[in-house]
Amino acid sequence: MSETGRLILLGAPLGNPADASARFREVLAAADVVAAEDTRRLTRLARDLDVSVPGRIVSYFEGNEERRTPELVDVLAAGYTVALVTDGGMPSVSDPGYRLVRAALDAGLPVTAAPGPSAVTTALALSGLPCDRFCFEGFLPRTPGGRRSRLSALAAEERTLVFFEAPHRITGALADLAAAFGADRPAALCRELTKTYEEVVRRPLGELAEWAAAGAPRGEITLVVAGASATPAQRPDDDALRAAVAEREAAGLSRRDAITEVAAGYGLRRREVYGLVHEG
C-alpha cells in the first residue's frame, strides 16, 4: 500500500493468452485488488499465463458497477492499487470501466493503463478497408427501429465504421446495414479474433447479409464497414481496372476481395469489375 492508490486499466487478450504483455502479467501479480468483468475467466487466464494473483479479486460488471464503483474508489483513496480487467480488450471500450475511471478522476486519484489488444483496431487492420480515418460506434441499438434510425444517421459518414454486434442480432443488423448503406458497400465481418476459429469474411454488405442469413455466425463479432464515398476516384480504363485487381491478388487478397476493394475505390458496382476481370 502507498499513500496514494491508483487505478490501472489492463488490456486483456482477445482470446489467445499469448497476446498478454509482460506488464499485464506484472500488474496482475502486484495489484492489491483486481476488479474483473468475469472472475472465472480471469482465474482461467491467470492459470494459462502461469501468474499468481495474490490480491483480492472482485467482480465488476454491468450488473454491479454502479454499486461497486464507490467501494473501489474508497479502496483507491486508502492507498491501494486496483487493476481493472474485462473479458477481452480495453476496459471502458464498450465494456465496464468508464464509470470507475470517471469516479476515480473526480476524486483526484491517478488512472493509468497497461495497453493491450483491441478488437477495434485489430479488426480494422484485418478488414482491408481504409484505416487512416475511422469511427467506432460500439453496439447498435437493440431494437430494429432504433437500429435503423442510427444507421440512417450514419449512412453519409465518410470514415470507415467499426461496430460490435451480438451473434443473435447480426443477421438483422447486416440486413439493415445493406438497406441503409447500399448492398454494394464493402465490409468485413471479423469473428473470434485471435482464437482458434478466427474468421474474417470480406464482402459487400448485401452478400454478407445473405451469408449470415444462411447460418448466423457465432462468437464475438466486430464489423467493419467502408465509409460513404463522397468523391470516388475517376474511373480508369478497363485494362487498368483488371491490372488493379491483379495487383491485389498478387499481394495476397482473394479475387473476390480484390474485386470488392477495386470497385469500392472507384465507386463502381462490384459486378461491373467482376465482369471485366472474367471477360478479360
Side-chain angles (χ1 to χ4, degrees), residues 8-248:
I8 306 177
L9 309 178
L10 295 183
L14 302 178
N16 190 331
D19 291 334
S21 68
R23 190 166 173 224
F24 181 93
R25 292 173 167 87
E26 291 170 2
V27 173
L28 273 187
D32 299 302
V33 176
V34 179
E37 183 177 10
D38 186 325
T39 58
R40 290 171 299 180
R41 290 183 68 164
L42 172 65
T43 300
R44 186 165 59 248
L45 176 60
R47 184 172 61 247
D48 290 341
L49 297 176
D50 195 24
V51 173
S52 173
V53 183
R56 181 164 61 99
I57 298 175
V58 300
S59 64
Y60 189 80
F61 60 98
E62 185 179 2
N64 74 355
E65 60 177 329
E66 184 173 0
R67 169 177 58 83
R68 182 139 283 169
T69 292
E71 297 174 4
L72 291 174
V73 170
D74 288 344
V75 170
L76 291 166
Y80 294 96
T81 295
V82 175
L84 176 60
V85 59
T86 55
D87 291 346
M90 204 67 190
S92 295
V93 182
S94 283
D95 276 335
Y98 169 76
R99 191 190 299 266
L100 180 56
V101 170
R102 188 66 262 166
L105 293 175
D106 288 345
L109 298 164
V111 178
T112 187
S118 164
V120 176
T121 53
T122 300
L124 187 66
L126 291 176
S127 70
L129 297 171
C131 301
D132 53 334
R133 297 176 66 240
F134 71 93
C135 58
F136 173 58
E137 287 293 323
F139 284 93
L140 288 166
R142 296 178 183 227
T143 63
R147 182 171 63 213
R148 289 166 191 155
S149 177
R150 174 76 59 81
L151 292 176
S152 176
L154 291 171
E157 172 59 62
E158 296 178 18
R159 294 171 293 179
T160 298
L161 299 114
V162 184
F163 302 93
F164 287 161
E165 195 50 276
H168 64 280
R169 292 198 301 265
I170 188 62
T171 301
L174 284 168
D176 287 344
L177 274 159
F181 291 6
D184 289 335
R185 182 83 71 93
L189 185 150
C190 309
R191 71 175 195 91
E192 296 294 87
L193 288 170
T194 77
K195 300 177 184 177
T196 302
Y197 298 105
E198 175 181 291
E199 182 178 26
V200 180
V201 183
R202 304 174 185 88
R203 298 182 188 177
L205 284 170
E207 292 186 23
L208 268 182
E210 292 175 1
W211 172 80
R218 299 178 180 180
E220 297 182 356
I221 296 171
T222 305
L223 186 64
V224 186
V225 183
S229 181
T231 54
Q234 184 175 358
R235 185 195 190 283
D237 61 35
D238 293 353
D239 287 340
L241 284 173
R242 294 188 188 99
V245 172
E247 287 174 6
R248 286 161 174 76

